[in-house]
Amino acid sequence: MIALADIERTAIELMRRAAIDLPEDVRAGIGRMAGATTEPLSRFVLEALAENWRAAEEDRRPICADTGLPRWYVKAGNGAAIEGGFVGLAGALRRATARATADIPLRPNRVHPLTRHDPGTNVGVLAPEIEIGFEPVGDWLDLIAVHKGGLFGSDWRMLFPGDGRDGIKRFFLDCLLQSGRRGLACQPAIFGIGIGGSKDTCMAIGKQAACLRLVGDRHPDPEVAALEDELLSLAGATGIGPMGFAGGSPALDCHVEVAHTHTGGMPVSVHAFCLASRRAVARLHPDGRVEARTDPAWFTPYQRREGVE
Amino acid sequence: MTLRHVSLTLPAGDDALAGLRAGDVVTLSGRLYTGREGVYRRVLDQGIAPPVDLASLSNANFHCSPAATVAADGTARIGAVTATASFRFSHWLERWFAVSGCRVMIGKGGMAEEDYRRHFVPHRAVYLTTVGYGTGALLGRGVTRVQAVHWLEELGIAQAIWVLEVRDFGPLLVECDLAGASLFAGMDRAIADRVEALYAGLKPPALARYGETTDRRQPIV
């Protein structure tokens, strides 16, 4: 049995790590970019970012004051038993979100969309999002904290089969040029592109592609992987660097996820996981062990329902 | 090309501001206050007098919501500090400059060149942009004291007026200098020159989006 107290304690710690310690794959990626950038302003910005991450770690303060929208991805082994069941889990994650918001502190960004009332806890109606996936074998629970920034840089469009790869590329360029100038997308960002599914699936997998795959990771389907490479070099060709300065790329990486879709359509979503690409992962075991992990490993063959009856 | 670094003391005098050029790296020491749409709406649209004489506090207005908590006894704790996108506040500029005496506006992403020409240049004000945008920990480090938080009850943590004492607060970049020269506008033009080539050879989608052409009567299919 996985205890609720362990879930709540681990969740608070994950939110602290997400807000303060940038994942190693993102850090290394930005470091490689800084090394390759010759334009002085773009380079200055990338170096200032690295200095900022050091300051965050030393002072234990968040990387960015806009601490985004805290949300949860949970992966459960099919044999996982949780104290209080999944309702217990949801309660623990909501309590942890409110506690971490006050303790770290995070900015209470979550408000009612119409009244703009701010409960001050980052908890409210359908907030934080808790998305749950399953694996056929295992008695563990993976908690993945994501503090999603990137208000700008995301969009959705219904394209058609005849639009093909040209259509996907054009729409991706539209998004980059819409939000990359003046650096509104807070680039270099990790771009997640969802293709296919129904509209909601398309949005969900695009966001997961941005937030839950490591920089440098490629999709196992060679055709999808080739598109990821093409989109990444297209982003580079825009020459839109950090803060929208001429010189560099707005994309640290591009991750594409696909889902079977209506024969007449090709929905596409684009999501920017801003340069504060905040995620933290841990696995809880029923004996109370908490295992630190770096890779969310969200997209398994089962998660993609590959070869599943 | 190497970048020029300038330390600026707040409130900033005319001579110091006149020495700044678009593209300079700036750090600030002295006092500044945060104010964004919540404050602009209250002061300018609802006609509610500011809780304190802003001009006597500082001439630097920061478009910012800190990641902060305020304890029951009123003590404030600030973690990271990051600017918010300024372009949304354009329509308040004219009246705000007149009311506040602001000479240094600090934010994210700058404003339209037209805003600089119409409002910043006549009020002899500069615009400084934060860097990154994600240097919240560095900027948080530069805050030495929260002198006061005004309108916390009325506007909440994100929109309240935070009066901050800062030392070596930065880095910031001069986006618009006293002559109205804009760093971003120059960069935008350089990138716009490449756009045609990027789209060359990519066929347009079968169904356009309404408004995608500038002629609103144009059919979309």
Side-chain angles (χ1 to χ4, degrees):
Chain A
M1 183 81 85
I2 298 168
L4 286 184
D6 288 344
I7 293 175
E8 194 171 329
R9 194 177 51 244
T10 306
I12 292 171
E13 182 52 31
L14 287 175
M15 288 184 72
R16 188 180 298 277
R17 272 174 43 202
I20 297 171
D21 304 301
L22 201 69
E24 191 44 47
D25 59 302
V26 178
R27 208 178 280 246
I30 298 280
R32 282 193 300 274
M33 267 189 156
T37 304
T38 51
E39 204 280 319
L41 273 169
S42 292
R43 197 184 171 112
F44 167 74
V45 177
L46 294 175
E47 286 169 355
L49 292 176
E51 198 187 333
N52 180 63
W53 300 331
R54 281 194 295 275
E57 272 186 3
E58 286 167 15
D59 298 2
R60 303 311 291 160
R61 61 170 92 228
I63 295 165
C64 181
D66 185 344
T67 49
L69 288 183
R71 61 181 294 143
W72 292 99
Y73 292 95
V74 176
K75 194 58 101 57
N78 200 30
I82 302 163
E83 182 192 347
F86 284 96
V87 171
L89 167 71
L93 292 179
R94 289 173 72 83
R95 284 193 299 278
T97 302
R99 266 283 300 281
T101 297
D103 287 359
I104 298 173
L106 301 180
R107 201 161 87 189
N109 275 335
R110 291 274 192 178
V111 300
H112 187 280
L114 295 177
T115 64
R116 312 309 289 182
H117 172 72
D118 189 344
T121 55
N122 278 318
V123 175
V125 179
L126 287 177
E129 291 81 1
I130 301 173
E131 221 167 312
I132 304 178
F134 300 94
E135 286 301 313
V137 178
D139 56 3
W140 42 260
L141 193 68
D142 281 355
L143 297 182
I144 309 167
V146 168
H147 298 177
K148 174 70 174 66
L151 189 72
F152 302 100
S154 302
D155 202 355
W156 180 88
R157 181 165 184 171
M158 179 59 84
L159 293 170
F160 297 95
D163 296 331
R165 286 170 183 246
D166 276 7
I168 297 167
K169 286 183 186 171
R170 278 186 81 105
F171 178 52
F172 183 54
L173 277 177
D174 291 345
C175 293
L176 296 179
L177 287 157
Q178 162 87 29
S179 301
R181 284 180 296 179
R182 294 180 179 241
L184 292 183
C186 291
Q187 70 260 22
I190 304 172
F191 284 91
I193 297 98
I195 305 176
S198 56
K199 187 183 295 153
D200 53 342
T201 307
C202 181
M203 289 302 280
I205 60 175
K207 180 162 275 187
Q208 292 162 8
C211 300
L212 301 177
R213 286 175 51 190
L214 301 186
V215 172
D217 175 47
R218 282 292 166 267
H219 197 282
D221 178 340
E223 194 159 343
V224 177
L227 181 59
E228 292 177 335
D229 288 337
E230 279 179 64
L231 293 177
L232 185 60
S233 51
L234 190 60
T238 65
I240 305 176
M243 294 180 74
F245 293 155
S249 174
L252 185 55
D253 207 348
C254 293
H255 294 144
V256 177
E257 287 295 328
V258 296
H260 277 69
T261 192
H262 191 287
T263 184
M266 187 177 64
V268 179
S269 71
V270 173
H271 307 254
F273 197 16
C274 70
L275 54 84
S277 300
R278 295 160 292 201
R279 59 171 134 74
V281 199
R283 175 166 292 184
L284 283 82
H285 295 276
D287 60 6
R289 265 183 313 131
V290 179
E291 189 190 327
R293 294 166 80 86
T294 49
D295 186 347
W298 179 260
F299 285 104
T300 58
Y302 183 78
Q303 182 66 32
R304 290 187 178 113
R305 301 297 192 269
E306 280 170 11
V308 173
E309 198 178 302
Chain B
M1 179 188 130
T2 50
L3 304 175
R4 210 161 61 114
H5 291 248
V6 182
S7 302
L8 197 65
T9 304
L10 297 174
D14 206 53
D15 288 350
L17 294 180
L20 298 178
R21 294 286 170 272
D24 285 349
V25 179
V26 175
T27 50
L28 301 175
S29 297
R31 192 158 56 190
L32 53 81
Y33 62 87
T34 70
R36 48 183 296 179
E37 64 268 55
V39 174
Y40 296 157
R41 210 177 287 132
R42 237 172 121 74
V43 174
L44 302 175
D45 298 348
Q46 298 167 9
I48 300 170
V52 55
D53 177 22
L54 293 171
S56 72
L57 275 184
S58 175
N59 61 4
N61 173 197
F62 187 17
H63 294 155
C64 160
S65 299
T69 44
V70 181
D73 66 358
T75 334
R77 193 160 63 92
I78 284 203
V81 173
T82 317
T84 196
S86 301
F87 71 88
R88 297 170 288 173
F89 312 140
S90 166
H91 64 283
W92 283 298
L93 280 178
E94 185 172 4
R95 288 180 293 154
W96 182 250
F97 276 124
V99 164
S100 68
C102 170
R103 300 284 306 275
V104 180
M105 198 164 264
I106 309 155
K108 169 183 171 182
M111 316 204 65
E113 267 185 311
E114 174 71 9
D115 285 329
Y116 295 140
R117 246 190 327 267
R118 288 180 50 195
H119 307 302
F120 282 70
V121 173
H123 286 97
R124 300 198 53 73
V126 299
Y127 183 100
L128 307 179
T129 178
T130 52
V131 171
Y133 304 95
T135 51
L138 280 179
L139 294 179
R141 231 181 211 188
V143 177
T144 52
R145 197 166 84 90
V146 178
Q147 197 197 303
V149 190
H150 299 289
W151 281 349
L152 183 64
E153 186 84 352
E154 295 85 345
L155 295 174
I157 281 179
Q159 297 278 348
I161 300 174
W162 291 74
V163 184
L164 306 176
E165 284 171 17
V166 299
R167 189 166 54 229
D168 298 329
F169 180 81
L172 306 166
L173 282 168
V174 179
E175 139 65 1
C176 167
D177 57 26
L178 281 190
S182 160
L183 184 63
F184 284 123
M187 292 291 179
D188 257 7
R189 281 189 281 270
I191 286 159
D193 288 344
R194 298 160 167 251
V195 172
E196 284 297 316
L198 285 171
Y199 283 87
L202 298 175
K203 68 174 183 298
L207 181 68
R209 277 179 160 183
Y210 180 73
E212 215 162 36
T213 71
T214 48
D215 182 354
R216 292 295 198 262
R217 291 160 304 177
Q218 191 81 34
I220 55 176
V221 177

